[in-house]
Amino acid sequence: MQVSAIGLGCMGMSQGYGSNPGTHHDMVSVIRTSVDAGVTFFDTAEIYGPFVNEELVGEAVAPIRDQIQLATKFGWDIQDGKSVGLNSRPEHIKKVADACLQRLGVETIDLFYQHRVDPNVPIEDVAGTVGELVQAGKVKRFGLSEVGADTLRKAHTTYPVTAVQSEYSLWTRDPEPEILPTCAELGIGFVPFSPLGRGFLTGAIDPSASFSQGDMRATIPRFQAENLSANQALVNHVRALAEAQGVTPAQVALAWLLAQAPWIVPIPGTRSLSRLKENAGATEVGLSADERADLDALAARVGVAGDRYSEAHMKLVGH
Ligand SMILES: NC(=O)c1ccc[n+]([C@@H]2O[C@H](COP(=O)([O-])OP(=O)(O)OC[C@H]3O[C@@H](n4cnc5c(N)ncnc54)[C@H](OP(=O)(O)O)[C@@H]3O)[C@@H](O)[C@H]2O)c1
């Protein structure tokens, strides 16, 4: 699968980071204009909203469908507009695929990820089901999100996995010991989500920040006041490096990811056209080996205070 070097995460347009300062019309415009900025790989999911994010993305890409690649995700049991757990049973995946196609208004989904591994359904059954959807022309490729290395290998044996999408950034290094080497070995692409640390690595969030209801950062340990303070050292270093280069901290955070491997494609999320362009500009930012080594050494030295998810959600990742 060939995609733009940087994608666009669309989740925040419908949920996750508090009320959207922009209108529906603005979001359609951000998505459509991204093509001019060279960003043609869009990320959504059934659960975002739920449902409304896929509808928004579908509406926005309608006139540019042949220029873009669309990724969405299945794997939740959604009842009355809320997730009540995981569900990757084969019949359910097939129903979700049909519903996604309808909401997106497309004939095929370019990349269909399982959002979280379902402990009640063997991964071989999930991979086989997505393989059947590919046979039926409804899906082009199979992806997994926040998967563990053993499950990834098992899935890939049953049906080839095109991409893994997991959290990865300067302050979330979890995929480095096992997942990235497995992707490299098996020829699987890697899509870092929350590549800007949910905004933290851009320097836009200071330790006194408070998060409104509906902003998931209110529930994430890393974003609690004392942890935000402890984690400033890393962002200060990113800011200093950015100033020295005449670029922005967001661009440094993305350039660091881009420099890891050519098959790594971050999908920063934004609701703003100017930030979209800023983030896309990270492809022009070069970090020297010394600068990357300095960043890595500092990150290792200062560590990160606080988990990246609530205790309950941490139980769902890495299986
Ligand atoms: N597979 C999964 O389980 C999973 C989980 C989370 C996310 N995702 C996907 O990954 C995408 C990206 O992750 P994310 O949105 O969670 O986090 P992110 O991209 O790390 O950060 C998004 C946050 O940063 C802000 N931002 C973006 N560009 C900025 C800039 N240049 N300067 C200052 N602030 C900036 C955004 O605010 P504004 O919108 O106001 O610009 C938003 O609050 C999501 O949209 C979603 O598609 C997947």
Side-chain angles (χ1 to χ4, degrees), residues 17 43 116 145 165 194 196 198 267 269-271 275 279:
Y17 299 125
D43 191 74
R116 292 288 179 274
S145 176
Q165 177 180 132
S194 301
L196 301 172
R198 302 184 189 273
I267 48 164
T270 184
R271 302 165 294 192
R275 285 179 173 176
N279 297 343

Side-chain angles (χ1 to χ4, degrees), residues 8-12 17 21 43-44 48 73 115-116 145-146 165-166 192-200 202 204 216-217 248 250-251 267-272 275-276 278-279 309 313:
L8 176 65
C10 298
M11 176 188 77
Y17 299 125
D43 191 74
T44 180
Y48 299 161
K73 316 183 194 79
H115 213 149
R116 292 288 179 274
S145 176
E146 289 289 353
Q165 177 180 132
S166 297
F193 77 70
S194 301
L196 301 172
R198 302 184 189 273
F200 180 74
T202 71
M216 66 167 79
R217 290 170 294 194
T248 69
Q251 290 175 329
I267 48 164
T270 184
R271 302 165 294 192
S272 130
R275 285 179 173 176
L276 170 95
E278 175 189 334
N279 297 343
Y309 270 123
H313 200 101

Side-chain angles (χ1 to χ4, degrees), residues 170 201-203 234-256 278 282 285-288 291-292 294-295:
L170 271 166
L201 297 168
T202 71
L234 179 59
V235 103
N236 289 343
H237 189 84
V238 172
R239 196 186 282 116
L241 195 56
E243 273 167 18
Q245 283 217 21
V247 300
T248 69
Q251 290 175 329
V252 168
L254 294 170
W256 177 84
E278 175 189 334
V285 177
L287 294 178
S288 68
E291 286 167 335
R292 285 165 51 209
D294 278 354
L295 271 171

Side-chain angles (χ1 to χ4, degrees), residues 1 23 31 60 74 114 118 125 130 153 160 193 220 306:
M1 185 178 196
T23 62
I31 293 172
F74 63 89
Q114 183 191 41
D118 183 342
D125 293 359
V130 177
R153 278 182 192 282
F193 77 70
I220 296 180

Side-chain angles (χ1 to χ4, degrees), residues 10-15 43-45 48-58 104:
C10 298
M11 176 188 77
M13 294 180 176
S14 303
Q15 69 160 54
D43 191 74
T44 180
Y48 299 161
F51 312 129
V52 292
N53 194 247
E54 285 188 328
E55 288 165 1
L56 164 72
V57 173
L104 291 166

Side-chain angles (χ1 to χ4, degrees), residues 147-163:
V147 65
D150 289 347
T151 309
L152 175 58
R153 278 182 192 282
K154 275 192 209 156
H156 191 68
T157 307
T158 307
Y159 190 83
V161 178
T162 296

